[in-house]
Amino acid sequence: MGILEEYERGRLFFDYGDYITAAQILGPVVDEAPDDVAPRLLLARAYYHSAQLHRAEEQLRRVLDHDPAEHYAHLMLGRCLQRQSRHDEARPHLRIADAMGIGGTTA
């Protein structure tokens, strides 16, 4: 199976709420295409929704290292840090997301 097919398969599991399986599928996709933001964000979301918050944080920070203006990654990172009771660290990311007009969006 090619990388695109694996990404779509991971998205399918994500859409059905099987976040752990989605993350297992998307991990190798991200390894094969490390600069592609879409699979990395979906992997971060799968980690977030399966309460693998440290892994989600790692992926989101990598997205922001590559593209500091990726507004959705700021929102997700802020929410991820909030769930870890790291509110002071979350605040700047949530402010950036809010300034970009997505503060009310759910992760």
Side-chain angles (χ1 to χ4, degrees):
M1 221 179 267
I3 191 169
L4 181 59
E5 290 84 7
E6 283 297 286
Y7 172 73
E8 291 300 327
R9 195 164 78 93
R11 176 173 278 296
L12 183 67
F13 277 94
F14 182 89
D15 289 344
Y16 281 107
D18 187 346
Y19 305 117
I20 292 173
T21 302
Q24 291 169 343
I25 293 167
L26 292 166
V29 172
V30 168
D31 290 343
E32 267 193 66
D35 293 330
D36 195 342
V37 172
R40 192 174 295 279
L41 273 176
L42 189 58
L43 176 60
R45 291 176 66 199
Y47 284 147
Y48 177 87
H49 287 297
S50 62
Q52 298 179 67
L53 301 178
H54 293 289
R55 288 180 173 180
E57 177 184 351
E58 177 186 337
Q59 294 303 316
L60 293 164
R61 289 190 187 280
R62 292 195 60 191
V63 167
L64 292 171
D65 285 345
H66 182 69
D67 183 1
E70 175 53 58
H71 57 283
Y72 191 67
H74 280 288
L75 175 65
M76 284 193 60
L77 181 55
R79 298 263 172 91
C80 187
L81 293 168
Q82 280 181 326
R83 283 183 67 184
Q84 297 176 67
S85 297
R86 295 164 57 193
H87 301 286
D88 290 341
E89 290 177 70
R91 198 168 293 115
H93 294 287
L94 295 173
R95 284 185 182 144
I96 290 169
D98 191 47
M100 293 179 166
I102 64 159
T105 307
T106 60

